[in-house]
Amino acid sequence: MNAAESQDVLVRASHLNVRYGAKLAVDDVSFTIPKGRVVGLLGHNGAGKSSLMKAMVGLVDLGQGGGELSVLGMSPRPQRAQLLEQACYIPDVAILPRWARVSDLISLMSGLHPRFSADRARALLRRTSVGLNDKVKTLSKGMVVQAHLALVAAIDARLMILDEPTLGLDVLSRKAFYEMLIDEWCDGERSVLISTHQVEEIESLLSDVLMLNEGKLVLSISLEDMEKRFVGVSHDAAVAEQIAAAHPLLRYRTGAGPAGNAAIFDGAPPAHVQALGQRIRPSLVDLFVALTRKPELDRTQF
């Protein structure tokens, strides 16, 4: 890899393992995150998403046999202080001190972080209903999340890591959060890694997806390549057995009535199978179910 290619890759993981005692939370995971990407990290509870994110910001000691992990050209654990000058992290349990006014938090960040811009934080807050003199304890949960994003996005960083950033928020608050993130932070050079359970809400924002299942990486792909690789076929119930005989990844219901059936294939199904129905684009949610469900689960049973 030449120097230019190296600069374009912000995160590189090779055979990464994260272990807690006897439990292997992240199991032999390899991937890269180039610059200018919005990456969705998907997985069921306990799949290893938070462990992976913590490893990326140096909160986990990989130890012997932990594989290799480079974030912004640095080793996260030994170079954590330098890394956090250029990488932002909002964990799923992120809180702000309830006693503080928002203006106090801006002053605090100005003294703590060398790449924080108070002017930019104030400009971002003007996009919200959060006032500089508001105390955190008077803010709704959605307003706290908006304030937190404004503070973090005011850091001149290259990578933002968000672990369930909108957990527990209503749909309007989630929409406002993601609008501000995309409009004010993503610029084609920075990258964002987002872990969320609201897959259908962020699919249109993503450029790439990483999918974990029981600690293993089952998919690492751009959305563009995903649409080329995975094929959906909608079909009538009358041809369900013929569809099933072609061994799709998943069969599921799309609506009421005999025509409301579909299947997902990894690659184009045989021509005679495609002729049994109509080609459709599988949603990211349906693909997630297909790749992380237990083998005995088939959504046509529901």
Side-chain angles (χ1 to χ4, degrees):
M1 177 183 297
N2 60 41
E5 289 172 332
S6 180
Q7 286 285 358
D8 286 345
V9 176
L10 303 188
V11 181
R12 184 179 301 278
S14 179
H15 303 291
L16 184 66
N17 297 295
V18 176
R19 187 181 295 275
Y20 301 105
K23 178 177 173 55
L24 193 58
V26 176
D27 186 358
D28 194 28
V29 165
S30 299
F31 64 91
T32 61
I33 298 178
K35 68 177 183 179
R37 312 300 284 182
V38 180
V39 183
L41 178 60
L42 310 181
H44 297 293
N45 290 334
K49 303 187 302 298
S50 293
S51 294
L52 177 58
M53 289 181 155
K54 288 177 181 177
M56 290 171 61
V57 292
L59 291 175
V60 173
D61 185 3
L62 299 179
Q64 187 174 4
E68 297 180 5
L69 178 61
S70 172
V71 180
L72 304 179
M74 291 174 264
S75 181
R77 185 73 170 184
Q79 295 179 279
R80 186 163 184 258
Q82 301 98 303
L83 173 63
L84 292 182
E85 290 185 9
Q86 300 183 57
C88 308
Y89 173 54
I90 301 183
D92 58 347
V93 293
I95 57 173
L96 296 175
R98 289 177 52 80
W99 53 265
R101 296 185 186 276
V102 175
S103 58
D104 296 332
L105 298 177
I106 292 176
S107 298
L108 179 64
M109 287 292 292
S110 296
L112 288 176
H113 204 292
R115 301 172 73 96
F116 176 81
S117 168
D119 288 341
R120 177 155 173 77
R122 285 189 283 266
L124 291 171
L125 285 167
R126 284 195 287 271
R127 286 196 55 160
T128 75
S129 55
V130 179
L132 292 176
N133 291 321
D134 292 342
K135 286 192 174 182
V136 172
K137 66 181 179 182
T138 68
L139 302 178
S140 68
K141 187 171 184 178
M143 293 167 73
V144 170
V145 171
Q146 290 282 333
H148 206 149
L149 177 62
L151 291 169
V152 170
I155 297 171
D156 182 19
R158 298 171 62 199
L159 177 68
M160 186 180 292
I161 299 172
L162 305 173
D163 190 358
E164 294 287 353
T166 60
L167 190 65
L169 300 189
D170 60 61
V171 64
L172 292 178
S173 296
R174 295 195 300 267
K175 186 174 185 295
F177 176 91
Y178 288 120
E179 283 180 351
M180 187 163 78
L181 174 67
I182 298 301
D183 293 347
E184 300 290 351
W185 205 80
C186 298
D187 61 1
E189 293 291 322
R190 298 161 163 169
S191 287
V192 184
L193 179 66
I194 308 171
S195 168
T196 181
H197 283 91
Q198 279 94 30
V199 181
E200 65 284 350
E201 290 187 5
I202 71 163
E203 180 173 358
S204 63
L205 309 178
L206 301 180
S207 62
D208 305 81
V209 61
L210 298 172
M211 203 174 287
L212 290 175
N213 188 36
E214 297 182 349
K216 291 187 174 295
L217 187 66
V218 295
L219 189 66
S220 175
I221 198 169
S222 70
L223 269 289
E224 181 180 0
D225 288 341
M226 187 187 82
E227 293 183 8
K228 296 175 182 176
R229 172 177 165 182
F230 295 98
V231 177
V233 177
S234 66
H235 61 88
D236 292 336
V239 299
E241 290 188 10
Q242 293 168 269
I243 294 286
H247 304 293
L249 289 173
L250 179 72
R251 294 183 298 132
Y252 59 103
R253 296 283 296 167
T254 60
N261 296 273
I264 297 176
F265 293 87
D266 188 351
H272 75 277
V273 174
Q274 292 196 52
L276 295 173
Q278 180 179 355
R279 180 166 176 159
I280 59 173
R281 175 189 175 277
S283 72
L284 188 53
V285 172
D286 291 328
L287 186 58
F288 174 69
V289 173
L291 294 176
T292 63
R293 80 193 195 287
K294 294 185 182 299
E296 66 274 11
L297 177 62
D298 190 321
R299 286 172 58 188
T300 59
Q301 300 171 356
F302 299 160

